[in-house]
Amino acid sequence: MTEQKNPCCTGSNPGFAELGAYIDALKIDPKDPERKEMLIMTLHKAQSIFGYLPSEVQKFVAKKFSIPHADVSGVISFYNYFTTTPKGKTNISICMGTACYVNGSDKILQDFEKALGIKSGQVTADGRFSIESLRCVGACGLAPVVLINEHVYGKVKQGQAEKIIEEYLIEYGEPVEVE
Amino acid sequence: MITLTIDGREVSVPAGSTILDAAKKLNLKIPTLCYLELEKLHYKNQVASCRVCVVEVEGRRNLAPACATPVMPGMKVITNSKRVLSARRKNLELIISNHPFTCLTCLKSTECELQTMAWEYDVQVKYPNGERMRHKKDHSSAALFRDPDKCIMCRRCETMCNEVQTVGALTAFGRGFNTIVAPAEKNEIVDSPCVYCGQCVTVCPTGALIGHSYVNQVWNALFDETKKVVVQVAPAVRVALGEEFGYPAGEIVTGKMVAGLRQLGFDAVFDTTFGADLTIIEEGTEIIERVTKNENLPILTSCCPGWINFIRYYYPSLEYMPSTTKSPQQMTGAIIKSYYAEKMGWDPKNIVVVSIMPCIAKKYEASLPNQESYGIRDVDYSLTTRELAKILKEGSVDLRYIEEEDFDSPLGVSTGAGVIFGATGGVLEAALRSVYELVTKETLENVDFVALRGLDSAHEAVVDLGDRKIRVAAVSGLGNARKILDKVVSGEEVFDVIEIMACPGGCINGGGQPYAKDRDVVLQKRMESLYKLDREDKLRKSHENPEVIALYKDFLGEPGGQKAHDLLHVENFEASVMSEWEHL
């Protein structure tokens, strides 16, 4: 009833056709009690298409699998990797692996959270930035590591967050004052 | 067969049995909390999450959950060693450390399995300041109340909802300590495909899932001198209420119940069975019409609101199939506020109709926007059998010490046909008794359609109506309803009339009935009592109910006529459902 009508996920989004074709290729038998085994890989695919897993996508998958929406939702809620909130255009991931953590990545995370006024796992209202934490990215020599989209920032120090964010604001061509 | 030793006693059980099964054979009572098996309902919850049933197995390092550990030849099991007992107690203490200490005011108090076990195991409050879950209570629906803080993650409700009823409204959401059993995306229950059958309530060991209580509202109505408060009681209540007062299962307490209700101050005590007879007249007329025209078949019964929700959510394309007749509860309410009000010279606006139902979905049905006639609500409050027991006790009534009395007239006169509505197959049997006579114009000598009776999931029969044979089926439990509907949709099976009840076994097993420890046995007893009432009734055919005949003659006109339609039918099902779920 409180359906969010997100522009990315209306029925006309070609992503649904792609996801639909992917699931059809799995040849799921609605009577097969084992069919849920293919759910996780399907959700991976769905997240790679849409960037996240909103209600509409969950229900679409549920219908294709002939399983309740609750089942799909339960699986998504169990795995950290799956997200039901959209990521920003610029996604800031702060490594909370052991090496980064002992080098103060929790403080770096707080810096970013403060600068953007959102918490880890959230997106700014304008959809430009999101923050998340992740586990080891395999660059412990550079700890603490911040990953912005595909770009790696190593040995990040406290107080650098605002400066890094500004780089991206400039890239958007519309610098805005950061709190 | 596999032979093992439990507490030094030898026992042989079939391969694949669990230690718990073997212990049962020796009459050893290993405590269980999450585990639950209801054989007749094909229900088995075996998640081994509570670890209360742990036992010691020789040669095994860890304690084993008896409910989920298969027996092995030569296994040596100890069920009551120091290690076992202290582990059980510790596990209970840990469960309780994350459970509210609000037993005094909890609706489930004295019926709570966790509470009972804590008492039996002499559990101490070891961790009063331990970390607690804090989740929002869900008051969103008129029928079902969820208090996730009382959930012990036994998953019984999930098994019932998803596997037996195939409704799929519940899931375990989240991970670890924060896990909560909830609808998809942690939505409120109104935003889920929950049909309010209430079977989850019947298996919940604690007060996490329970029916919404309207006891206070009913008391307030009774205390309000400007109101005329009229009560109606469903057939399945009279064979179950006694259990709440210490009677054996299946005891028939109709007369005592009526006397008790009168003592509480209700202005009239009526029988929903009258509405059931009325339902048969209206639904029977519809059956005859549709069968004669061979149109829109099969016709599906519409007395069960849980089932009606189910077809709306999962088979929206079959929406034309259910009969348009209202349920007996709503019909009785509508007639009280029209015919009876007129008779008594009461203003319908000042009448409060209270219904006593074995059901939780009835609360929801009573609240639906389309369940009214001429702008007046048919039913104001619906109480469960359990709530009736409470309100009677609160009102100084003890069923054991009260003289029997009769229902008031005219809506207290009923037939055996109406009474058997409370068991699976009953509505269909009642309909056939009338349809047969109305179509063939012959007297039905043997009114017992035995083939349609019994707690099994589905019954079928072919009835010869002279010119035409009709094929009928009675199904209970929504999982079974799904099976038969799939066959109807695929064309694999062709039926003319199908009765469907959401709860396995019908209303005798409703979500509002007294909690039954040995459910398979209790249901059998309740069912037998309903058929006994029918057998001993002088009137066994709905169309022979003299008060129903008078109602049509003096007030309604023709069955299926305009006035009957206004009061007793719902044309607009859509108004009552969320369309959001149609695609699921």
Side-chain angles (χ1 to χ4, degrees):
Chain A
M1 290 228 157
T2 50
E3 201 101 315
Q4 266 184 304
K5 281 284 167 262
N6 197 301
C8 107
C9 292
T10 53
S12 58
N13 187 313
F16 281 102
E18 189 187 344
L19 183 59
Y22 176 85
I23 300 173
D24 289 342
L26 297 175
K27 298 211 188 325
I28 287 161
D29 173 6
K31 290 204 164 30
D32 178 9
E34 307 292 309
R35 64 191 185 279
K36 274 202 265 180
E37 283 181 5
M38 288 177 283
L39 180 59
I40 290 178
M41 63 191 225
T42 304
L43 291 173
H44 270 278
K45 180 72 183 176
Q47 187 157 305
S48 76
I49 294 170
F50 295 97
Y52 70 116
L53 299 167
S55 277
E56 296 90 331
V57 174
Q58 295 181 25
K59 288 179 189 170
F60 180 83
V61 172
K63 194 184 175 189
K64 282 277 184 188
F65 271 73
S66 294
I67 58 175
H69 176 201
D71 276 359
V72 177
S73 170
V75 168
I76 292 170
S77 74
F78 186 85
Y79 294 101
N80 244 338
Y81 174 82
F82 294 129
T83 171
T84 53
T85 45
K87 285 183 185 170
K89 191 172 169 189
T90 304
N91 184 41
I92 303 168
S93 314
I94 291 111
C95 180
M96 288 285 159
T98 312
C100 289
Y101 192 83
V102 297
N103 279 291
S105 62
D106 55 330
K107 305 274 180 345
I108 308 291
L109 173 63
Q110 282 169 13
D111 269 8
F112 277 101
E113 286 179 340
K114 211 175 141 202
L116 292 169
I118 54 169
K119 290 279 171 204
S120 175
Q122 293 179 333
V123 192
T124 53
D126 59 12
R128 285 197 293 199
F129 292 96
S130 55
I131 306 178
E132 64 178 4
S133 63
L134 43 74
R135 299 292 166 232
C136 187
V137 291
C140 305
L142 297 174
V145 172
V146 173
L147 210 66
I148 301 193
N149 293 343
E150 306 297 305
H151 192 92
V152 179
Y153 290 76
K155 302 198 171 171
V156 180
K157 291 187 181 60
Q158 261 185 285
Q160 286 184 337
E162 292 188 9
K163 215 167 178 166
I164 294 172
I165 290 166
E166 264 168 47
E167 282 176 34
Y168 286 86
L169 286 174
I170 291 162
E171 196 179 289
Y172 291 140
E174 41 176 333
V176 188
E177 200 180 321
V178 178
E179 276 176 36
Chain B
M1 295 297 269
I2 287 176
T3 304
L4 66 155
T5 321
I6 304 181
D7 294 343
R9 293 160 65 192
E10 211 166 77
V11 61
S12 294
V13 286
S17 305
T18 62
I19 296 176
L20 187 67
D21 297 329
K24 260 183 209 153
K25 210 172 166 190
L26 288 172
N27 291 321
L28 289 169
K29 190 185 166 256
I30 296 176
T32 51
L33 197 50
C34 64
Y35 176 85
L36 184 68
E37 184 174 10
L38 302 165
E39 229 171 284
K40 284 211 177 115
L41 272 56
H42 306 286
Y43 172 96
K44 194 171 194 178
N45 188 54
Q46 195 179 24
V47 295
S49 67
C50 75
R51 313 309 268 197
V52 165
C53 67
V54 286
V55 291
E56 219 169 329
V57 177
E58 201 181 275
R60 183 175 158 147
R61 191 170 53 90
N62 294 329
L63 295 175
C67 72
T69 309
V71 292
M72 306 285 256
M75 205 180 218
K76 285 199 172 66
V77 178
I78 303 165
T79 70
N80 56 7
S81 65
K82 185 181 177 192
R83 187 176 168 215
V84 166
L85 296 191
S86 64
R88 281 183 194 161
R89 191 178 297 166
K90 174 70 83 188
N91 289 342
L92 278 169
E93 278 162 359
L94 287 169
I95 292 170
I96 288 165
S97 76
N98 185 25
H99 194 86
F101 295 150
T102 50
C103 290
L104 283 174
T105 52
C106 179
L107 284 171
K108 196 65 178 280
S109 190
T110 72
E111 313 249 33
C112 171
E113 291 177 42
L114 181 62
Q115 190 185 41
T116 309
M117 204 162 283
W119 176 77
E120 281 177 1
Y121 272 77
D122 203 10
V123 165
Q124 305 297 309
V125 180
K126 283 260 177 71
Y127 316 98
N129 301 317
E131 197 179 340
R132 295 272 175 102
M133 306 189 282
R134 294 252 185 264
H135 293 293
K136 236 175 94 191
K137 293 179 178 41
D138 185 349
H139 291 281
S140 64
S141 88
L144 187 68
F145 170 57
R146 281 176 61 238
D147 186 351
D149 289 349
K150 290 179 183 162
C151 175
I152 57 167
M153 290 305 293
C154 68
R155 320 284 287 269
R156 285 184 186 179
C157 54
E158 243 186 292
T159 303
M160 183 56 92
C161 188
N162 301 349
E163 287 172 24
V164 177
Q165 297 292 66
T166 67
V167 169
L170 296 172
T171 185
F173 193 94
R175 190 160 42 140
F177 186 75
N178 295 317
T179 316
I180 157 183
V181 173
E185 303 188 69
K186 242 166 138 175
N187 285 333
E188 289 187 319
I189 204 86
V190 284
D191 290 329
S192 80
C194 174
V195 302
Y196 307 111
C197 69
Q199 283 300 307
C200 56
V201 173
T202 69
V203 292
C204 180
T206 69
L209 285 161
I210 210 153
H212 254 304
S213 172
Y214 291 89
V215 166
N216 285 335
Q217 284 90 329
V218 170
W219 275 125
N220 285 339
L222 285 168
F223 294 143
D224 186 342
E225 283 171 13
T226 66
K227 301 283 183 203
K228 296 288 181 190
V229 191
V230 181
V231 66
Q232 50 156 317
V233 194
V237 175
R238 65 204 63 184
V239 294
L241 177 68
E243 292 162 34
E244 296 275 2
F245 290 86
Y247 285 102
E251 183 83 13
I252 299 165
V253 294
T254 323
K256 286 167 172 282
M257 173 183 77
V258 171
L261 285 165
R262 209 166 272 140
Q263 195 161 317
L264 293 183
F266 285 102
D267 292 285
V269 184
F270 287 143
D271 195 348
T272 310
T273 308
F274 177 92
D277 283 336
L278 207 48
T279 301
I280 291 303
I281 304 302
E282 290 299 319
E283 200 164 273
T285 308
E286 214 180 332
I287 291 174
I288 294 169
E289 191 188 316
R290 277 162 68 173
V291 167
T292 318
K293 288 187 186 160
N294 248 330
E295 219 173 59
N296 296 337
L297 294 174
I299 178 166
L300 310 176
T301 56
S302 59
C303 328
C304 170
W307 142 242
I308 290 299
N309 280 341
F310 185 77
I311 191 168
R312 298 268 104 79
Y313 295 155
Y314 290 101
Y315 297 88
S317 63
L318 306 184
E319 249 178 334
Y320 64 90
M321 281 186 184
S323 158
T324 60
T325 49
K326 283 183 188 170
S327 71
Q329 164 182 259
Q330 299 302 127
M331 282 197 180
T332 309
I335 295 299
I336 290 170
K337 290 197 183 181
S338 56
Y339 176 64
Y340 184 67
E342 206 175 286
K343 240 181 167 155
M344 300 299 287
W346 292 350
D347 182 352
K349 287 195 187 71
N350 292 331
I351 301 178
V352 176
V353 171
V354 177
S355 68
I356 313 292
M357 295 286 140
C359 185
I360 285 181
K362 287 285 169 191
K363 294 173 188 284
Y364 165 84
E365 184 186 51
S367 77
L368 284 175
N370 65 352
Q371 297 288 342
E372 57 179 35
S373 318
Y374 307 123
I376 293 185
R377 305 297 304 158
D378 293 339
V379 174
D380 297 280
Y381 305 112
S382 181
L383 302 186
T384 60
T385 312
R386 294 189 296 264
E387 284 172 285
L388 172 59
K390 279 203 169 171
I391 205 168
L392 285 171
K393 286 174 185 171
E394 214 179 336
S396 321
V397 176
D398 188 332
L399 279 203
R400 288 171 300 176
Y401 308 111
I402 193 165
E403 292 293 321
E404 299 191 1
E405 290 178 19
D406 286 331
F407 281 111
D408 285 306
S409 187
L411 283 78
V413 178
S414 64
T415 68
V419 170
I420 56 171
F421 263 56
T424 173
V427 176
L428 185 58
E429 179 168 345
L432 289 173
R433 289 178 190 176
S434 289
V435 166
Y436 180 87
E437 294 206 348
L438 295 172
V439 171
T440 63
K441 314 271 188 252
E442 287 169 18
T443 308
L444 186 64
E445 296 300 341
N446 180 9
V447 299
D448 296 325
F449 290 79
V450 183
L452 297 173
R453 297 180 182 178
L455 291 172
D456 324 328
S457 49
H459 301 265
E460 284 177 35
V462 175
V463 181
D464 193 348
L465 293 182
D467 297 341
R468 176 147 164 17
K469 285 192 169 85
I470 57 168
R471 187 153 181 249
V472 299
V475 171
S476 71
L478 291 172
N480 300 317
R482 187 184 285 279
K483 278 184 206 149
I484 202 162
L485 286 179
D486 284 342
K487 285 181 186 164
V488 166
V489 171
S490 70
E492 193 184 329
E493 299 253 29
V494 179
F495 291 100
D496 296 299
V497 188
I498 308 176
E499 175 206 302
I500 300 182
M501 293 292 157
C503 295
C507 308
I508 45 170
N509 184 29
Q513 293 282 52
Y515 300 111
K517 293 222 161 53
D518 196 352
R519 186 144 31 148
D520 287 347
V521 177
V522 168
L523 293 186
Q524 186 69 30
K525 293 256 168 69
R526 289 178 187 164
M527 183 183 67
E528 282 165 8
S529 293
L530 283 181
Y531 286 114
K532 180 167 180 263
L533 282 170
D534 170 40
R535 209 165 48 238
E536 290 171 358
D537 207 321
K538 282 193 200 79
L539 298 167
R540 299 188 66 189
K541 296 163 193 164
S542 296
H543 60 284
E544 289 176 355
N545 182 331
E547 291 296 351
V548 169
I549 296 170
L551 170 68
Y552 278 101
K553 192 166 149 276
D554 301 343
F555 184 73
L556 285 175
E558 283 296 302
Q562 187 56 47
K563 201 160 188 182
H565 256 270
D566 290 349
L567 285 164
L568 309 178
H569 289 253
V570 192
E571 296 299 352
N572 176 17
F573 274 121
E574 280 80 2
S576 65
V577 290
M578 306 177 296
S579 56
E580 186 194 346
W581 293 97
E582 285 182 8
H583 66 290
L584 274 182

